Amino acid sequence: MSDKKIIIAIDGYSSSGKSTMARALAAKIGYRYIDSGAMYRAVTLYALNNNMIDAQGNIDTSALISVLPSISIDFRPMPDGTQHTLLNGEDVETEIRQLRVSDNVSPIAAIKEVRAALTAMQRSLGKDKGIVMDGRDIGTTVFPNAELKIFVNASAEMRARRRFLEMSDKGDNVNYEEVLANVVRRDHIDETRAESPLRRADDAIDLDNSYMTHEEQDAWLEQQVNKALHS
Ligand code: DC
């Protein structure tokens, strides 16, 4: 590799495999990996656990905004190379991946103040560079000057199938139609929200991984990193 440290922004649709790919890349090149979606999920879990979201999905936005300064989010590296998300010091990695959180996270991520608070945390995590961050607005808003920006896509059906298999493997009792509906709904909210909508940065490199293996994807990504490091 090279001594030059860069910021690598990997954005894309939900369940496009960007987290797996970002994590593998970070481990390979010795960079820190940050899953920015996990941060939005942690805030959503906090809101759910503190009765700020009712059964119909209505959010008590002003209550949530007022507690934002007291919400701390960290990542704990695990021996197997993964990271667990900590919400106010508590390991919430399992809870934030459940459908209860997935179903409520997009409206939470559309709140301007939530985005401002998390964007500030994300920028401070990247201040020394040497970071791979994945999300929806990393290349457009969080790090518009990132040296390498990747925009990942795959069809909604392909993404829903992957998510369904992942959840079934974990023993979750889910059905495919429900997962597909959740993927389509989240795409729509993420693309149409007023604040930092999911959008490809003009200078991002596209990756459609619908028919790529992990190995092909990792090799492609490494090529892009090498180019960015030597440009
Ligand atoms: O990547 P994910 O599915 O874990 O993301 C969860 C939600 O958070 C998703 O609805 C989009 C939102 N999100 C966002 O708005 N901005 C980011 N940088 C990352 C995620």
Side-chain angles (χ1 to χ4, degrees), residues 150 205-207 212 216-224:
I150 310 284
I205 304 170
D206 288 299
L207 169 66
M212 273 171 124
E216 287 167 341
Q217 192 173 268
D218 291 349
W220 178 89
L221 193 55
E222 220 179 309
Q223 263 178 19
Q224 308 309 318

Side-chain angles (χ1 to χ4, degrees), residues 1 19 40 42 46 48 71 74 82-83 85 105-106 117 125 140 149 163 170 189 195:
M1 277 291 157
S19 300
Y40 288 94
Y46 183 96
L48 284 163
I71 299 181
D74 288 302
T82 61
Q83 292 194 82
T85 309
V105 63
S106 284
L125 289 163
T140 51
K149 301 179 184 179
R163 184 113 194 90
K170 278 193 211 149
I189 303 179
E195 291 299 321

Side-chain angles (χ1 to χ4, degrees), residues 18 36-37 40-41 105-106 109 115 135-137 186 190 193:
K18 54 187 189 316
S36 69
Y40 288 94
R41 288 171 177 273
V105 63
S106 284
R115 301 206 70 83
R136 302 293 189 289
D137 64 337
R186 278 206 283 158
D190 294 347
R193 67 175 176 231

Side-chain angles (χ1 to χ4, degrees), residues 29-126:
I29 63 177
Y31 276 25
R32 180 150 196 220
Y33 164 61
I34 299 293
D35 173 358
S36 69
M39 301 169 81
Y40 288 94
R41 288 171 177 273
V43 171
T44 305
L45 181 68
Y46 183 96
L48 284 163
N49 289 349
N50 289 278
N51 304 317
M52 293 171 181
I53 305 179
D54 70 17
Q56 283 72 46
N58 300 307
I59 303 164
D60 186 344
T61 309
S62 53
L64 178 59
I65 292 170
S66 71
V67 297
L68 280 175
S70 63
I71 299 181
S72 88
I73 299 169
D74 288 302
F75 295 95
R76 175 185 288 159
M78 304 304 287
D80 65 356
T82 61
Q83 292 194 82
H84 281 193
T85 309
L86 306 183
L87 171 60
N88 291 336
E90 190 194 335
D91 186 333
V92 293
E93 191 57 35
T94 305
E95 287 98 310
I96 61 167
R97 307 292 166 194
Q98 289 167 347
L99 208 54
R100 173 170 95 108
V101 171
S102 302
D103 272 342
N104 286 286
V105 63
S106 284
I108 293 284
I111 301 170
K112 188 168 136 206
E113 290 81 358
V114 170
R115 301 206 70 83
L118 295 188
T119 298
M121 281 187 213
Q122 290 152 7
R123 286 188 180 143
S124 89
L125 289 163

